[in-house]
Amino acid sequence: MTTSTTTFLAIPGQLLGPASKFQPGPGTHIHEANLYSSLLGKVHIAQPVKAPGPTKRLNKIVAATNPPPAEMPTISVSRSGSGKEKQRETLPEVGNVVLCRVIRITPRQAVVAILTCGDTVLEAEWQGLIRTQDVRATEKDRVKIYESFRPGDIVRAEVISLGDQANYYLSTARNELGVIMASSEAGNTMYPVNWKEYRDPETGMSELRKVAKPY
Amino acid sequence: MATAPLLVLPGDTIDPSLIPTHRKQPLRLGPGLRHIPPSEIVPTVAGQLVVDPKKNSMWVEYNGGRYIPSTHDLVIGQVHRSAADLYYVNLSPYTANAALPHLAFEGATKKTRPQLLPGALIYARVTLANRHMDPELECVSSTTGKAEGLGPLTGGMAFDVSLGLARRLLMARNREEGRVEVLELLGAEGLAFETAVGRNGRVWVGSESTKTIVLVGRALKETDEGDLTVEQQRKLVKRLVKQLR
């Protein structure tokens, strides 16, 4: 059914072939020795790369049933793109440094929306939490969220856990993590003065934040 | 203090001759005024513009609707429910509850802390109040560790008054500046009661006799609604006490 090289559309759960004939590639999974598609997309069959030189001579008795794995074609399913290879959505992983915007603050945590992961701007806004004990490395129990973040700040943080269904867990407990852009109560963009203060150039007022060390 | 009261509306321009000047102190703006750099001062509420040339400050006295918490205010709250290590306390209707930690009472440890039931009244001070978060309270002075009058209010009854009257009752010189003397007059007539005034527009009255509590509450309400002067308050007190006897 699938030995032809013409591509066709597979839906999730569609049987692609036996695991004895094909190697599973991205977008497929094995269930009871059969390959099934996991995605809705085009089916690609990649022929195995033949090793150069003469084939090794078999000098022991082997069961002549399945071809060895190196000779099986790889079957994969990819989401249909508009011709060019569409990148899969990058998701934040543990240890990634992300940029996020503070949405809401409560006495125990700050809720943020993760905007970029490394250099890639994410397509969807994932929600993250920065708990008070992860805001800084010293004096963790005496952190006041109102003196570290405010809603609307842009924060550089590190993902410490993939968390639960709703939130990633982030941390700003390093010198180079923290608030990188902030607006004052009067509405002007502020510039950092030291590790815990931003100043508004127009009104001269300072506001407390957990400031990220500029690179 | 202005001799003829000047009423301002939001957005009015203020005559520059009214703005006080001082050799040394910078001009301080109180509630109700907004500074637009470089030199504009605009009222944001409707009320009476008050100027204090000695302290070089100016503000607007207004009697407004909703109480907006600010730090170091004394308020009367009603406990709504108890959570992990907080009480949720309601300061004004239809607003978010304020958080009062279980241990923010005098001499409270994990084992000996006051058990407040929902509905209990407490007298507390606001510790944290800003636009972005729910307010937080304490019932103990963080510097001295003593209650100093704060804590649960047992017995008695709480009455709602306007924010303006609550502010005037809390003034140090309430007869001259606040023009409210009704509580002192009632005390001079021989009634025995105690009061707690919350900046959020609530006054708690406690006494042995229920009639006294009701009478004090009525006096406060009529002072508030009628906007009575000190003379009128005197007459009101005499009339009410006569009815009692």
Side-chain angles (χ1 to χ4, degrees), chain A residues 104-108 144-146 150-151 184-185 202-203, chain B residues 35 37 84-86 99 128-134 136:
Chain A
R104 188 166 68 236
I105 49 173
T106 72
R108 297 252 174 88
K144 294 207 174 103
I145 280 279
Y146 188 62
R150 299 271 169 98
S184 71
E185 301 265 320
E202 237 186 75
T203 62
Chain B
H35 175 231
D85 50 11
L86 301 172
L128 177 77
N130 59 70
R131 302 188 274 154
H132 306 295
M133 295 167 67
D134 294 340
E136 289 180 18

Side-chain angles (χ1 to χ4, degrees), chain A residues 34-211:
Chain A
N34 279 325
L35 278 179
Y36 292 90
S37 167
S38 306
L39 304 174
L40 168 68
K42 293 204 180 96
V43 180
H44 303 284
I45 302 174
Q47 295 301 328
V49 176
K50 276 261 180 340
T55 50
K56 259 174 96 164
R57 235 183 42 198
L58 293 169
N59 49 10
K60 55 180 175 176
I61 302 171
V62 292
T65 47
N66 298 332
E71 292 181 9
M72 289 201 289
T74 307
I75 200 165
S76 60
V77 182
S78 66
R79 289 191 178 105
S80 43
S82 54
K84 72 177 172 97
E85 193 70 38
K86 197 147 181 255
Q87 287 284 9
R88 283 174 71 186
E89 161 96 7
T90 46
L91 291 179
E93 296 295 325
V94 176
N96 283 1
V97 171
V98 298
L99 289 182
C100 43
R101 182 194 309 120
V102 179
I103 303 285
R104 188 166 68 236
I105 49 173
T106 72
R108 297 252 174 88
Q109 64 213 14
V111 180
V112 302
I114 301 178
L115 304 172
T116 81
C117 171
D119 284 335
T120 354
V121 175
L122 300 177
E123 286 178 2
E125 274 192 8
W126 302 106
Q127 193 175 67
L129 282 187
I130 306 178
R131 297 172 300 172
T132 46
Q133 59 262 42
D134 300 324
V135 170
R136 56 175 197 232
T138 53
E139 284 194 333
K140 288 186 193 180
D141 47 345
R142 299 234 300 249
V143 168
K144 294 207 174 103
I145 280 279
Y146 188 62
E147 293 169 5
S148 315
F149 304 117
R150 299 271 169 98
D153 289 349
I154 306 292
V155 173
R156 182 184 297 130
E158 179 187 4
V159 179
I160 50 175
S161 162
L162 298 184
D164 53 15
Q165 189 185 27
N167 305 300
Y168 284 91
Y169 284 89
L170 310 172
S171 161
T172 55
R174 286 211 311 256
N175 285 350
E176 56 269 8
L177 302 176
V179 178
I180 56 175
M181 277 204 309
S183 282
S184 71
E185 301 265 320
N188 309 312
T189 314
M190 300 195 283
Y191 61 84
V193 185
N194 55 38
W195 72 273
K196 53 180 181 189
E197 244 180 81
Y198 264 87
R199 186 168 297 160
D200 180 343
E202 237 186 75
T203 62
M205 307 276 293
S206 298
E207 286 182 26
L208 295 176
R209 301 287 203 279
K210 199 269 172 192
V211 184

Side-chain angles (χ1 to χ4, degrees), chain B:
Chain B
M1 299 281 276
T3 45
L6 172 66
L7 254 54
V8 290
L9 293 176
D12 276 356
T13 42
I14 298 184
D15 194 1
S17 64
L18 294 171
I19 300 175
T21 51
H22 199 277
R23 277 180 307 127
K24 291 186 213 161
Q25 284 173 354
L27 178 66
R28 293 177 55 148
L29 295 181
L33 289 173
R34 187 169 152 229
H35 175 231
I36 301 176
S39 56
E40 251 187 283
I41 297 177
V42 182
T44 56
V45 288
Q48 177 188 346
L49 183 70
V50 178
V51 169
D52 186 352
K54 233 182 344 164
K55 289 196 208 144
N56 203 28
S57 64
M58 53 194 291
W59 67 91
V60 180
E61 285 276 0
Y62 62 97
N63 195 1
R66 192 169 63 96
Y67 170 64
I68 298 180
S70 58
T71 40
H72 310 306
D73 271 358
L74 294 170
V75 292
I76 293 179
Q78 189 172 33
V79 174
H80 186 250
R81 61 188 168 94
S82 171
D85 50 11
L86 301 172
Y87 287 112
Y88 287 106
V89 175
N90 180 261
L91 296 183
S92 47
Y94 307 114
T95 53
N97 289 333
L100 171 64
H102 282 178
L103 299 178
F105 292 87
E106 182 176 1
T109 62
K110 277 205 186 143
K111 300 197 179 142
T112 60
R113 52 181 187 80
Q115 308 273 2
L116 295 176
L117 294 177
L121 290 171
I122 45 134
Y123 199 39
R125 183 184 298 119
V126 179
T127 50
L128 177 77
N130 59 70
R131 302 188 274 154
H132 306 295
M133 295 167 67
D134 294 340
E136 289 180 18
L137 310 173
E138 65 177 1
C139 274
V140 65
S141 158
S142 41
T143 44
T144 65
K146 297 208 180 300
E148 288 172 8
L150 304 177
L153 298 167
T154 48
M157 182 173 163
F159 297 94
D160 286 328
V161 295
S162 67
L163 297 187
L165 182 67
R167 177 171 137 75
R168 284 154 50 202
L169 284 169
L170 280 170
M171 278 182 182
R173 295 183 16 217
N174 47 356
R175 193 179 311 126
E176 296 87 18
E177 285 183 25
R179 293 166 287 113
V180 62
E181 207 192 343
V182 59
L183 294 177
E184 281 85 1
L185 291 168
L186 284 167
E189 293 284 338
L191 297 173
F193 61 94
E194 49 177 357
T195 56
V197 180
R199 201 70 159 68
N200 54 331
R202 290 190 188 155
V203 177
W204 175 85
V205 182
S207 171
E208 300 257 323
S209 138
T210 319
K211 277 190 184 171
T212 313
I213 299 178
V214 173
L215 198 147
V216 174
R218 266 190 69 194
L220 283 170
K221 258 219 158 43
E222 296 206 15
T223 316
D224 198 13
E225 281 163 15
D227 195 18
L228 305 182
T229 60
V230 180
E231 265 310 309
Q232 291 169 324
Q233 289 168 26
R234 215 161 278 169
K235 289 201 190 106
L236 169 72
V237 165
K238 285 206 165 39
R239 178 166 55 88
L240 287 175
V241 171
K242 209 188 312 183
Q243 280 177 9
L244 180 69
R245 304 206 178 112

